[in-house]
């Protein structure tokens, strides 16, 4: 994992590591849990640069949120990279940006 990663590459990595289509609700609950933990780290402004470790920081919790977002996309067979492009096109129309 030392190479630059695409969204599709991240999806493939997580799919190979952790893919259980019967656990949709479990992945969703973990996502909600991680968003709560991220909220706490933001409130505390806990940053890796200041603590010297990623443990218990905004950076760690953002990675956890990303992980479970991708895991959910995988179980629903959503290509996040393609859907992100489509969403950006909709945003350009909606917001003129």
């Amino acid at each position: 994992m030392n190479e630059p990663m695409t969204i599709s590459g991240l999806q493939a990595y997580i799919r190979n590591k952790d893919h259980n289509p019967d656990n949709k609700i479990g992945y969703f609950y973990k996502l909600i849990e991680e968003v709560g933990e991220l909220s706490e780290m933001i409130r505390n402004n806990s940053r890796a640069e200041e603590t010297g470790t990623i443990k218990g920081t905004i950076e760690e919790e953002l990675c956890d949120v990303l992980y479970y977002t991708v895991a959910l996309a995988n179980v629903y067979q959503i290509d996040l990279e393609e859907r992100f492009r489509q969403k950006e096109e909709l945003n350009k129309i909606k917001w003129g940006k």
Side-chain angles (χ1 to χ4, degrees):
M1 288 198 59
N2 293 332
E3 302 169 12
M5 187 173 290
T6 63
I7 295 171
S8 294
L10 179 61
Q11 280 195 257
Y13 174 80
I14 291 174
R15 188 179 306 108
N16 289 332
K17 180 180 176 182
D18 178 12
H19 184 68
N20 183 356
D22 295 329
N23 192 29
K24 292 174 183 166
I25 197 72
Y27 290 130
F28 178 70
Y29 287 153
K30 283 298 293 178
L31 175 60
I32 297 304
E33 177 183 331
E34 297 302 341
V35 168
E37 291 175 6
L38 173 60
S39 174
E40 183 178 347
M41 293 306 108
I42 288 173
R43 188 174 53 249
N44 295 335
N45 197 32
S46 180
R47 299 296 309 273
E49 298 85 29
E50 296 166 4
T51 64
T53 179
I54 195 172
K55 187 72 179 147
T57 64
I58 293 169
E59 290 84 353
E60 178 186 22
E61 300 310 332
L62 278 171
C63 289
D64 290 344
V65 167
L66 178 61
Y67 181 96
Y68 287 106
T69 298
V70 170
L72 273 172
N74 283 343
V75 297
Y76 283 101
Q77 299 176 357
I78 296 169
D79 180 337
L80 282 174
E81 197 165 300
E82 178 60 28
R83 296 301 176 224
F84 187 84
R85 286 188 183 101
Q86 290 175 339
K87 179 64 171 134
E88 282 299 294
E89 290 302 314
L90 289 175
N91 287 345
K92 285 179 190 176
I93 295 165
K94 183 176 183 179
W95 304 107
K97 294 181 181 180

